[in-house]
């Protein structure tokens, strides 16, 4: 199985594109799996469990974006961003990639 971050999404396409762009910027492969429905928390945890890299991203219809690691409890994600903005989505993608490569996360809003 090819190493990759799994992104499960029932959310807006513009935010999904930004999540993917953030992952690409960090050079980490990913797979997008569309979902009909689902809360970001559940999507992210399921994505992490499906990912050979143990890192997943969940994006729900409200724009909530959650990054999760399979070793963490469902309610304790790596990051959670309720701001349904392109910047927040791209940051989530970059942070998912940074978990994989063990780089520091960017949890701050840009100034």
């Amino acid at each position: 199985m090819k190493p990759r971050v799994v992104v499960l999404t029932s959310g807006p396409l513009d935010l999904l594109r930004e999540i993917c762009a953030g992952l690409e910027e960090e050079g980490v492969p990913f797979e997008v799996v569309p979902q009909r429905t689902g809360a970001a928390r559940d999507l992210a945890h399921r994505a992490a469990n499906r990912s050979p890299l143990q890192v997943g991203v969940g994006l729900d219809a409200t724009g909530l974006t959650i990054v999760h690691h399979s070793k963490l409890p469902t309610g304790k994600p790596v990051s959670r961003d309720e701001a349904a903005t392109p910047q927040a989505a791209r940051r989530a993608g970059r942070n998912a990639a940074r978990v994989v490569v063990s780089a520091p996360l960017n949890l701050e809003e840009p100034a």
Side-chain angles (χ1 to χ4, degrees), residues 1-77:
M1 193 179 292
K2 194 167 127 183
R4 67 199 181 287
V5 169
V6 174
V7 181
L8 295 183
T9 178
S10 63
L13 288 177
D14 62 326
L15 298 180
L16 175 60
R17 278 192 296 271
E18 293 298 324
I19 291 168
C20 295
L23 285 157
E24 286 175 355
E25 285 174 2
E26 299 290 330
V28 173
F30 61 92
E31 174 189 11
V32 174
V33 183
Q35 305 289 293
R36 289 179 190 244
T37 61
R41 180 182 78 165
D42 297 328
L43 294 171
H45 194 258
R46 284 193 354 241
N49 285 323
R50 289 174 67 167
S51 166
L53 297 173
Q54 300 181 315
V55 177
V57 180
L59 171 64
D60 70 17
T62 68
L64 174 61
T65 306
I66 293 182
V67 176
H68 222 300
H69 191 283
S70 66
K71 302 283 185 192
L72 296 173
T74 305
K76 301 283 186 185

Side-chain angles (χ1 to χ4, degrees), residues 26 94-95 98-99 101-107:
E26 299 290 330
R94 283 193 311 261
N95 281 337
R98 289 177 177 194
V99 170
V101 299
S102 300
L105 301 181
N106 177 5
L107 301 174

